[in-house]
Amino acid sequence: RARHAVAAASRAAPRDRHSRAGMGKVPNYFKSAQKELLSLGGKLIDKMKDYDKDNIPAKVLAKLKKYIDDPGMTLEVVKKTSVAATSLCMWVHAMDIYAKVAKDVGPKKERLEAMNKRLAQATADLARYVNAETRDVVLVENCTAAATATIRSARLRAGDVVIHLSTAYGMVKNALRHAADAVGADVLSLPVEFRGGGSPPAGAGGAPLAERLAELCDGVAASGRRVAMVTFDYIASCPGAIMPVREMARVCKRRNVPTVLADAAHALGQVRLDLRALEAAGVTHFMADAHKWLYSPKGSAMLWVTRDAQDAVYPSVVGAVCSNSRTTNFDPAALANLSEFERRFQYTGTRDYTPLVAVADALRWREKVGESAIMGYNHGLAVWGQEFLAAAWNTETLVPAE
């Protein structure tokens, strides 16, 4: 009976029909099974392993049901007669169970495939918005995930030095410190001064920040150590001030700093961004939240990485990469033309991908309202607010109205 069932699953044609107690007239697969199994020789196991279990026709399942329901096809009964038949019996039952589960899971797979296509579209839309190539941009849940992936890719070593601005967000400082302590690296903070009178952020003593960064990097090099990573805010979170990102990036590029991270958590949607220009200046990694000023839901952010640095960048949570198996059930269209970097971040496990997909909707809304109208309104409100408070408190504005 186990051989008959395998032959039925293999779609071999029955030779005739015969009666069996409790089953009525059933197809007789004896000769078909004999021919099918003998013709395979030592390839039977390979054929069973490669069996297309995701596409078992309903007619085949109907044929198998008669054997599955046969009291003589239970594992307990078959075990008493033949070890080889027991393996065949187990395989037939496994295919039947898989088909039943697949019927329930099928609609969920279809929705997952649709989500992946929409995720790819949202990434492409966002890449155009920031003037970057799609293959260099991935969507993540927040800047914490992006920072973790970037810091891990820096591969810090004992004696290395990492530099951040004193205005760096707490998460960034904590993540850098954690990674540095693990290997015996050092973290240095570059002081940022706000001297008031509408003047831009400066370094110690009022010197340009880029100049102070260059001095710090040169001092580290003179001590025989490596500056492994530099990170700076695009817009500081407190106080809200735009930093000289390109100037600081050029300092790093001239000194061959391998990892230069621009923390743009507050920049996306608040100022116009050009990642090609930032890359030319020396930025190698760029992260930004979309749930702040771009107005997509919480749990949506982006990470951009220059092509040369992508091989070392993996998601903060390394899960099942949906493209790493020939038996993957994703629609090939969802993975078509994706770089290996993109594939790593395409599906990282069970989580809510809705906020990431919704980035595309946020961009469509901005296009409908008008990018200049949105940015102009927010900027005008910020300038009015600081001038109003400065006058009310009889003081001066802290940073330029830019």
Side-chain angles (χ1 to χ4, degrees), residues 129 235 265-271 289-296 365-366 371 374 378:
Y129 180 76
I235 299 178
H266 284 277
L268 188 61
Q270 193 167 195
V271 295
D289 282 322
H291 68 255
K292 291 186 171 77
W293 303 101
L294 197 71
Y295 307 132
S296 65
W365 175 81
R366 295 181 71 93
E371 193 68 24
I374 295 172
N378 287 338

Side-chain angles (χ1 to χ4, degrees), residues 343-395:
R343 289 172 185 245
R344 292 180 205 142
F345 288 82
Q346 181 77 359
Y347 182 78
T348 55
T350 305
R351 63 171 179 170
D352 185 5
Y353 290 83
T354 306
L356 303 184
V357 171
V359 168
D361 298 280
L363 290 171
R364 282 193 294 271
W365 175 81
R366 295 181 71 93
E367 185 177 359
K368 182 178 180 180
V369 175
E371 193 68 24
S372 296
I374 295 172
M375 288 188 177
Y377 174 79
N378 287 338
H379 180 260
L381 197 61
V383 171
W384 173 85
Q386 70 176 15
E387 291 178 349
F388 174 83
L389 291 175
W393 295 338
N394 194 27
T395 186

Side-chain angles (χ1 to χ4, degrees), residues 294-309:
L294 197 71
Y295 307 132
S296 65
K298 282 191 174 182
S300 55
M302 65 165 285
L303 171 64
W304 169 91
V305 181
T306 189
R307 200 75 50 83
D308 293 340

Side-chain angles (χ1 to χ4, degrees), residues 1-80:
R1 293 173 184 176
R3 288 183 299 173
H4 291 192
V6 171
S10 299
R11 307 184 202 182
R15 294 298 179 90
D16 50 24
R17 304 176 73 86
H18 68 178
S19 298
R20 179 175 297 159
M23 297 181 66
K25 287 284 186 178
V26 297
N28 184 356
Y29 285 94
F30 179 78
K31 292 182 180 180
S32 300
Q34 188 178 46
K35 181 179 179 181
E36 176 80 10
L37 299 183
L38 289 176
S39 67
L40 292 171
K43 298 180 180 179
L44 174 61
I45 294 178
D46 289 336
K47 185 168 183 179
M48 294 170 70
K49 285 171 57 180
D50 296 334
Y51 188 76
D52 188 7
K53 59 185 180 295
D54 293 308
N55 298 289
I56 305 176
K59 289 183 178 180
V60 172
L61 293 173
K63 292 176 183 178
L64 285 180
K65 189 176 188 308
K66 295 181 178 181
Y67 294 97
I68 296 295
D69 294 342
D70 184 353
M73 265 287 285
T74 63
L75 291 177
E76 291 73 16
V77 173
V78 178
K79 280 180 181 178
K80 297 176 182 179

Side-chain angles (χ1 to χ4, degrees), residues 26-361:
V26 297
N28 184 356
Y29 285 94
F30 179 78
K31 292 182 180 180
S32 300
Q34 188 178 46
K35 181 179 179 181
E36 176 80 10
L37 299 183
L38 289 176
S39 67
L40 292 171
K43 298 180 180 179
L44 174 61
I45 294 178
D46 289 336
K47 185 168 183 179
M48 294 170 70
K49 285 171 57 180
D50 296 334
Y51 188 76
D52 188 7
K53 59 185 180 295
D54 293 308
N55 298 289
I56 305 176
K59 289 183 178 180
V60 172
L61 293 173
K63 292 176 183 178
L64 285 180
K65 189 176 188 308
K66 295 181 178 181
Y67 294 97
I68 296 295
D69 294 342
D70 184 353
M73 265 287 285
T74 63
L75 291 177
E76 291 73 16
V77 173
V78 178
K79 280 180 181 178
K80 297 176 182 179
T81 59
S82 170
V83 174
T86 300
S87 298
L88 297 178
C89 181
M90 292 174 64
W91 182 83
V92 171
H93 280 282
M95 293 301 100
D96 179 66
I97 293 172
Y98 185 91
K100 291 176 180 176
V101 173
K103 184 177 181 180
D104 178 61
V105 174
K108 298 179 178 65
K109 287 183 178 179
E110 291 176 1
R111 288 194 290 272
L112 183 59
E113 290 166 4
M115 179 278 294
N116 272 281
K117 292 178 183 178
R118 294 186 64 183
L119 192 62
Q121 185 60 55
T123 304
D125 292 345
L126 185 58
R128 283 193 295 273
Y129 180 76
V130 297
N131 192 28
E133 290 193 41
T134 302
R135 63 169 294 177
D136 301 329
V137 175
V138 292
L139 298 180
V140 293
E141 55 267 40
N142 48 48
C143 277
T144 302
T148 300
T150 300
I151 294 169
R152 181 188 293 163
S153 73
R155 296 173 180 172
L156 302 181
R157 305 190 298 258
D160 279 349
V161 172
V162 177
I163 298 173
H164 65 70
L165 302 184
S166 61
T167 53
Y169 190 59
M171 173 276 294
V172 175
K173 293 178 180 178
N174 291 340
L176 289 173
R177 173 56 62 189
H178 175 77
D181 287 348
V183 297
D186 291 320
V187 180
L188 302 181
S189 177
L190 180 67
V192 178
E193 294 182 356
F194 295 92
R195 306 176 74 82
S199 60
L209 265 175
E211 180 181 313
R212 292 300 186 219
L213 176 60
E215 293 172 354
L216 184 56
C217 289
D218 292 343
V220 170
S223 69
R225 294 184 295 169
R226 179 181 76 130
V227 177
M229 179 176 178
V230 173
T231 179
F232 35 73
D233 318 300
Y234 198 112
I235 299 178
S237 61
C238 187
I242 298 176
M243 297 296 179
V245 174
R246 295 190 190 183
E247 291 84 350
M248 290 188 289
R250 293 188 186 101
V251 167
C252 297
K253 185 176 183 178
R254 286 194 290 268
R255 289 158 179 78
N256 297 315
V257 177
T259 303
V260 181
L261 171 63
D263 178 3
H266 284 277
L268 188 61
Q270 193 167 195
V271 295
R272 296 189 183 277
L273 297 169
D274 185 344
L275 292 191
R276 285 186 171 87
L278 289 178
E279 181 178 19
V283 172
T284 63
H285 299 68
F286 176 98
M287 64 182 188
D289 282 322
H291 68 255
K292 291 186 171 77
W293 303 101
L294 197 71
Y295 307 132
S296 65
K298 282 191 174 182
S300 55
M302 65 165 285
L303 171 64
W304 169 91
V305 181
T306 189
R307 200 75 50 83
D308 293 340
Q310 290 174 7
D311 285 348
V313 181
Y314 283 79
S316 56
V317 176
V318 179
V321 181
C322 68
S323 60
N324 68 346
S325 170
R326 62 184 178 85
T327 59
T328 186
N329 292 309
F330 287 85
D331 186 328
L335 305 175
N337 302 317
L338 293 184
S339 66
E340 181 57 33
F341 173 61
E342 292 174 282
R343 289 172 185 245
R344 292 180 205 142
F345 288 82
Q346 181 77 359
Y347 182 78
T348 55
T350 305
R351 63 171 179 170
D352 185 5
Y353 290 83
T354 306
L356 303 184
V357 171
V359 168
D361 298 280

